[in-house]
Amino acid sequence: MSERTTTDRRTLLKLAGLGVGAAAVPGAVVAQQTDPVPQPGAAPVPAPPSPPSGHDMSAHAAPAPTGVAPPAGYIFLDSDEASFIEAFVDTLIPADEFSAKGTDLGVAAFIDRQLYSGWGRGNNMYMQGPFREGTPEQGYQLALSPADIVRVGIADVNAWVRKAHEDNSFDTIEDAVRVDVVTQLEAGKIELKEVPTSVFFNMLFQLTMDGFFSDPVYGGNRGKASWKLLGYPGVGEMYSDKIAEWRNKPFRVEEPLSIQDMS
Amino acid sequence: MATRLPPVDVVIVGSGWTGGIAAKELAPTGLKVVMLERGKFQDTSPDFLAPQSHDALKYSRRLELAQDLSKETITFRNDMSQTALPMRQYGFFIPGSGLGGSGAHWSGLTWRWGEWEHRMLSGTVEKYGKSMVPEDMNLQDWPISYKDIEPYYDRFEKVCGVSGKAGNLRGRIQKGGNPFEAPRSSEYPLPPMTPSQSMLMFEAATKRLGYNPFPIPASNCSDNYVNPDGIALGQCHYCGHCTNYGCEANAKASPHFTMMPLARANKDFELRTNAMVLKVNLDSTGKRATGVTYADARGREFEQPADLVILGAFVTGNVQLMLHSGIGTPYDPKTNSGVVGRNYAYQSLGGARVEIDRDTYMNPFMGSGALGTWIDDFASDNFDFAKAGFIGGAGISAGQNSGDPLTYHPTSPGKPRWGAGWKKAMAETYQHTMGVGFQGAVMSYRQNYLDLDPTYRDAWGRPLLRLTFDWQENEQKVMAATFARCQQIAGEISGKRPAVASPGRAMAGRRFSSVPYQTSHNTGGAVFGNDPRTSAVNKYCQSWDVPNVFVLGASALPQNAARNPTGPVGALAFWAADAIVNKYLKRPGRLV
Ligand SMILES: Cc1cc2nc3c(=O)[nH]c(=O)nc-3n(C[C@H](O)[C@H](O)[C@H](O)COP(=O)(O)OP(=O)(O)OC[C@H]3O[C@@H](n4cnc5c(N)ncnc54)[C@H](O)[C@@H]3O)c2cc1C
Ligand code: SF4
């Protein structure tokens, strides 16, 4: 399946209860790190990705998702937005030999729930005006909450896609074209109408990553797929008796423990 | 209209390390002491119990234990020609809130500053002459010597159960410790923490290069420990959820359990949480504080009369309260006069990442906030300033803090960040990367300062604190030279060159950015000194202008060092509390 029609998309939506994405700290380029001991390796390197070659996202023999199925139905996203987010997370997290695709791991559902949370609504951001454009060093200065960024940005991107790709929307273009659009968004090559491209991309990128990596208690990372991929033992381990014994040997557990597993 | 409450003897603002220490020391005097903390009440049980306390999204990304920026934040600009704009989301520092303050979720690196770091001006001028100090640098000494404060460093380390290795015991250099350390009267209370693979590799490489690696002194206990006050601390689990998280094991020293239970055991001590102090009230002369006004959780305002007011509201809170209340003359950068807001400084943080062979494993999830190995060869005045062309330098380290995939999922440079090939690249890298990082000293300058913002207000209608700050030439040089040094060490570790810069960090040649998190190590704004023209408080941290106000914390430090500040902050709080109990209470009035 290389192209989905609008009808296909609607059908898909009805059939699968897919989640929506969660937004990241607006404008944040690197993971928010507070390191104590300067540990530079800890921040993801924002090197431009070598553009992935076109791929059929459904073709890979992905490990079947395990764990609690993502919640059916969206709270924040409307159906067009949901289709966008699903296509976005599956582009960033395609099915391959390492994991199922983003939607099957609950990443879209995670994003939906995060956008509807107090955080998504900007509850702990300073939102008083006047809103002025600042220097890059002054950071995020828009009146948009994370949820607004995603909502307005989706409309912006879809408007761009409609013009550039004959009435398609982001979720109905071919997979390879979508990869290209995301690559251009990341590189800031597409100009959006309302939301600065980097703000929109970084937000959705961070939300997708957060949905892939955070504890499954939030609805993403189904079956602890990303933790198993990296060999992360989960949140229950205590290592005082292991740090010396396992030094320079990979410490792995059969089944990483999540908050849900331990509650 | 604020409701007036019955008067008390002492009001303490804030329950972090400084407020906590003051509370614990003053509560047994029999005075009526009230502590006002803007954040919520919290305790190890139930608030910091695992597994919920290991929720990376909640604590590391959403910063659950930080100040609520929707209510108050700061504004920022790089220089006076710009219009400052609010820090609308968490940026370069993360001010803590709730019982224990930042002390509840700090990392635990617990330093004594080096001898030079207590007397930067005279130490520099003696060795290199006046010309070494740029004209716009407001370099000044502490008003007390390392010797004066040494017993208080010792006390703070014993309270925290600091794990480390002495490098200088009463003048004798000790093997395995920091040979540049100032003389200590006693060994650390606990032996160093168990090193990770990355630390051993850093140690070996720096030794080969002729440097002097040692374990970072850590308030993450290497073993079970009972401190001199009878408080039990547990052994660290190396759980990897430390910085920004509360500790389930009471292994990370925090005022919420080392100070508050002792203060609260006194019947005349009262803790009020969800109590946001808005102002210190002065009498008509402006020379005496009559108490404070605060708002409770519902927004009701109360006036709490008190004879003595102790501010422990972190650097930003202290300076904001002083400026808003009219305590001391505000600093004016045009004339370099006035004192409140003067000498703000920060730290630079950067480094290089190291690609490790695929047969070497890091287990990055085994770590703690302060687990690391450090070299001081290029910090303090341990190197030749004249040759380097700058003063201050930087500490260089490698450590292991957290391998939680939410915040740690590196890929090698040039590899995809998403899509095809990305997961493979991550899986290949997760166990095989480390970093070599630096923490650079930052001097104070005429043009870097704090004042009140003319436009933006907090939820209670008060002007926000405005920060004007940029890297200056000296700091740019520190960053450039130290980054090269990090690359050298990274190359020595991996056998590959060149190492790649860590993104999002301080980099020479760029302006200071308030966007990426760097450190929460702000200093200055209400510095202590012997001259009321260049200091807001005297050597006991007592306001020169309003002597029944004491101002505790890193706001007192005249410049920033190449290491974390809480060692001196804790020691100074004990020093000031001692002066309050043994001098001020006997004869209230100016101590100097
Ligand atoms: C994530 C993080 C990691 C850190 N790691 C290290 C480290 O490894 N080593 C190190 O040396 N330092 C570290 N620090 C810094 C360290 O936490 C601080 O130096 C130390 O806690 C300062 O103590 P304090 O009492 O001055 O302020 P805080 O601990 O911040 O306490 C201030 C308290 O005052 C309260 N408050 C503020 N304003 C008001 C008001 N108006 N009314 C009522 N209450 C108010 C706050 O809610 C808070 O509880 C770290 C800081 C952070 C945030
Ligand atoms: S790493 Fe150690 S000190 Fe830090 S939170 Fe975990 S158990 Fe506590």
Side-chain angles (χ1 to χ4, degrees):
Chain A
M1 182 175 78
S2 58
E3 189 176 333
R4 285 188 255 166
T5 64
T6 310
T7 336
D8 282 338
R9 185 184 97 209
R10 295 261 143 79
T11 322
L12 262 174
L13 256 178
K14 261 188 241 148
L15 293 177
L18 302 171
V20 184
V25 184
V29 182
V30 297
Q32 186 113 34
Q33 289 275 332
T34 47
D35 45 330
V37 181
Q39 192 197 21
V45 180
S50 36
S53 50
H55 56 278
D56 181 348
M57 287 161 201
S58 57
H60 289 278
T66 59
V68 187
Y74 294 108
I75 300 165
F76 175 77
L77 299 165
D78 69 23
S79 59
D80 286 352
E81 292 164 345
S83 303
F84 185 106
I85 294 292
E86 288 167 10
F88 189 89
V89 304
D90 288 345
T91 305
L92 262 60
I93 310 170
D96 56 19
E97 65 268 43
F98 295 99
S99 81
K101 62 186 196 294
T103 45
D104 289 347
L105 298 176
V107 176
F110 169 92
I111 296 177
D112 179 63
R113 303 306 194 252
Q114 287 293 308
L115 292 178
Y116 199 62
S117 72
W119 171 82
R121 299 311 180 96
N123 281 5
N124 54 1
M125 291 171 73
Y126 183 80
M127 280 304 207
Q128 295 183 40
F131 292 91
R132 296 198 175 121
E133 210 170 306
T135 65
E137 289 80 11
Q138 289 178 309
Y140 185 75
Q141 293 298 336
L142 307 180
L144 302 164
S145 68
D148 296 331
I149 290 171
V150 172
R151 175 152 283 164
V152 179
I154 286 176
D156 282 353
V157 174
N158 270 337
W160 184 90
V161 172
R162 248 190 312 281
K163 263 204 202 138
H165 297 283
E166 300 166 3
D167 268 356
N168 270 296
S169 53
F170 179 76
D171 56 297
T172 59
I173 47 181
E174 276 184 45
D175 287 351
V177 177
R178 193 176 313 110
V179 168
D180 185 56
V181 171
V182 174
T183 306
Q184 289 191 58
L185 284 171
E186 183 178 34
K189 291 201 178 121
I190 294 173
E191 200 173 318
L192 303 182
K193 194 164 149 268
E194 295 272 354
V195 186
T197 306
S198 64
V199 170
F200 174 71
F201 178 82
N202 288 336
M203 171 63 71
L204 215 45
F205 176 79
Q206 190 68 71
L207 271 170
T208 304
M209 293 299 136
D210 288 352
F212 186 55
F213 291 112
S214 64
D215 194 285
V217 74
Y218 288 99
N221 194 13
R222 183 180 176 193
K224 298 160 278 192
S226 68
W227 295 3
K228 288 176 184 161
L229 158 70
L230 296 181
Y232 174 63
V235 297
E237 291 291 337
M238 305 206 280
Y239 302 111
S240 35
D241 59 341
K242 299 192 180 77
I243 182 160
E245 190 190 332
W246 285 87
R247 190 181 294 129
N248 205 10
K249 289 178 274 192
F251 176 82
R252 284 197 92 118
V253 296
E254 196 70 19
E255 186 68 32
L257 285 178
S258 69
I259 292 174
Q260 273 175 325
D261 296 331
M262 295 176 69
S263 299
Chain B
M1 257 319 267
T3 308
R4 199 179 145 91
L5 299 171
V8 297
D9 298 306
V10 186
V11 159
I12 300 174
V13 182
S15 67
W17 272 122
T18 59
I21 288 170
K24 184 221 144 200
E25 296 290 298
L26 265 75
T29 57
L31 295 176
K32 195 145 184 44
V33 180
V34 167
M35 173 182 268
L36 301 171
E37 163 58 47
R38 71 179 165 193
K40 65 180 188 297
F41 181 84
Q42 56 193 6
D43 207 346
T44 310
S45 176
D47 300 286
F48 301 149
L49 295 189
Q52 280 78 9
S53 66
H54 292 178
D55 182 339
L57 189 73
K58 182 174 181 182
Y59 293 105
S60 199
R61 180 84 70 223
R62 307 286 182 248
L63 300 168
E64 177 72 11
L65 301 178
Q67 164 183 320
D68 181 352
L69 295 186
S70 72
K71 297 210 166 85
E72 38 166 352
T73 182
I74 61 159
T75 66
F76 167 74
R77 57 182 180 173
N78 277 121
D79 63 58
M80 286 165 69
S81 75
Q82 297 178 341
T83 303
L85 295 175
M87 182 171 90
R88 295 190 180 276
Q89 58 184 23
Y90 303 107
F92 67 108
F93 77 109
I94 303 173
S97 190
L99 198 70
S102 311
H105 63 275
W106 67 322
S107 308
L109 289 83
T110 312
W111 297 98
R112 295 172 176 213
W113 281 13
E115 242 169 325
W116 175 83
E117 287 161 338
H118 298 83
R119 53 192 303 273
M120 294 193 188
L121 177 62
S122 22
T124 306
V125 172
E126 277 161 24
K127 246 192 188 159
Y128 302 99
K130 271 210 170 106
S131 63
M132 194 69 223
V133 183
E135 205 243 317
D136 58 350
M137 197 190 276
N138 277 344
L139 201 62
Q140 56 200 71
D141 291 345
W142 282 33
I144 57 175
S145 68
Y146 171 74
K147 243 185 160 156
D148 294 327
I149 195 83
E150 199 281 337
Y152 299 90
Y153 273 126
D154 195 63
R155 201 143 142 210
F156 187 56
E157 286 167 355
K158 289 187 169 136
V159 159
C160 293
V162 178
S163 305
K165 176 79 196 87
N168 181 344
L169 264 184
R170 293 176 288 274
R172 301 180 74 146
I173 302 302
Q174 308 290 308
K175 209 169 159 258
N178 177 10
F180 300 106
E181 199 175 42
R184 310 167 51 85
S185 55
S186 58
E187 194 27 292
Y188 284 100
L190 286 172
M193 303 185 73
T194 309
S196 63
Q197 174 64 18
S198 51
M199 289 159 67
L200 295 185
M201 291 169 71
F202 177 84
E203 185 186 337
T206 48
K207 275 190 179 157
R208 284 199 299 275
L209 291 166
Y211 309 147
N212 296 280
F214 61 91
I216 290 173
S219 286
N220 309 153
C221 291
S222 60
D223 205 346
N224 293 329
Y225 175 73
V226 178
N227 81 9
D229 299 316
I231 300 284
L233 290 89
Q235 185 188 33
C236 171
H237 299 158
Y238 303 81
C239 76
H241 295 92
C242 200
T243 306
N244 285 327
Y245 302 82
C247 175
E248 76 265 31
N250 279 357
K252 176 167 68 175
S254 162
H256 83 267
F257 75 92
T258 61
M259 298 294 154
M260 296 317 299
L262 299 170
R264 296 177 77 207
N266 297 281
K267 68 171 182 20
D268 287 323
F269 177 85
E270 191 193 340
L271 166 69
R272 294 181 204 148
T273 49
N274 301 312
M276 173 72 199
V277 175
L278 302 175
K279 197 171 182 178
V280 179
N281 302 314
L282 305 184
D283 71 6
S284 56
T285 68
K287 299 279 168 218
R288 198 184 148 71
T290 56
V292 302
T293 298
Y294 72 94
D296 73 0
R298 276 168 57 171
R300 286 179 299 201
E301 288 191 14
F302 296 92
E303 189 194 330
Q304 176 60 69
D307 290 332
L308 175 62
V309 175
I310 299 175
L311 301 183
F314 194 69
V315 174
T316 44
N318 285 350
V319 177
Q320 209 251 8
L321 279 170
M322 289 175 84
L323 290 169
H324 184 58
S325 311
I327 300 171
T329 313
Y331 174 67
D332 178 355
K334 292 199 185 86
T335 54
N336 201 23
S337 65
V339 287
V340 183
R342 187 176 187 276
N343 273 32
Y344 171 86
Y346 189 54
Q347 272 175 344
S348 59
L349 204 78
R353 54 172 287 171
V354 191
E355 299 283 316
I356 300 299
D357 290 340
R358 296 293 181 250
D359 57 358
T360 304
Y361 295 88
M362 294 296 160
N363 293 328
F365 36 81
M366 301 184 187
S368 82
L371 184 66
T373 301
W374 185 283
I375 58 167
D376 239 1
D377 299 71
F378 306 98
S380 206
D381 70 338
N382 307 333
F383 61 101
D384 188 331
F385 290 175
K387 233 160 118 192
F390 55 79
I391 71 176
I396 300 177
S397 67
Q400 216 152 278
N401 309 138
S402 177
D404 191 305
L406 186 71
T407 49
Y408 187 74
H409 49 265
T411 50
S412 299
K415 293 282 166 119
R417 266 211 311 170
W418 51 269
W422 163 61
K423 285 179 250 173
K424 181 162 182 285
M426 264 194 314
E428 283 171 356
T429 312
Y430 184 68
Q431 275 280 8
H432 312 289
T433 183
M434 61 178 276
V436 174
F438 73 80
Q439 188 168 330
V442 170
M443 301 301 108
S444 302
Y445 295 86
R446 220 177 141 138
Q447 58 273 31
N448 288 339
Y449 68 104
L450 297 163
D451 66 354
L452 293 179
D453 193 272
T455 308
Y456 293 96
R457 312 220 147 221
D458 69 15
W460 298 272
R462 304 180 308 164
L464 295 184
L465 191 68
R466 174 170 70 175
L467 168 63
T468 306
F469 178 78
D470 206 351
W471 306 127
Q472 307 298 321
E473 200 189 336
N474 186 73
E475 284 60 41
Q476 293 279 7
K477 287 183 188 162
V478 172
M479 287 188 261
T482 316
F483 176 63
R485 195 67 68 188
C486 290
Q487 278 192 306
Q488 177 203 28
I489 297 168
E492 182 65 29
I493 291 171
S494 67
K496 288 176 216 135
R497 268 158 208 262
V500 191
S502 327
R505 299 299 198 202
M507 281 220 257
R510 300 208 189 141
R511 301 200 85 168
F512 167 76
S513 171
S514 70
V515 178
Y517 181 79
Q518 288 150 74
T519 77
S520 295
H521 308 156
N522 310 273
T523 53
V527 312
F528 74 153
N530 285 326
D531 183 349
R533 285 170 308 177
T534 54
S535 59
V537 295
N538 66 24
K539 66 177 174 179
Y540 300 113
C541 299
Q542 179 184 35
S543 161
W544 289 111
D545 298 276
V546 185
N548 66 336
V549 173
F550 285 73
V551 186
L552 309 183
S555 50
L557 305 175
Q559 311 59 223
N560 216 338
R563 62 198 78 251
N564 316 55
T566 307
V569 165
L572 268 177
F574 274 118
W575 156 267
D578 223 19
I580 294 170
V581 173
N582 295 311
K583 294 190 164 86
Y584 180 86
L585 292 180
K586 292 189 176 128
R587 269 189 78 219
R590 249 165 91 155
L591 295 177
V592 179

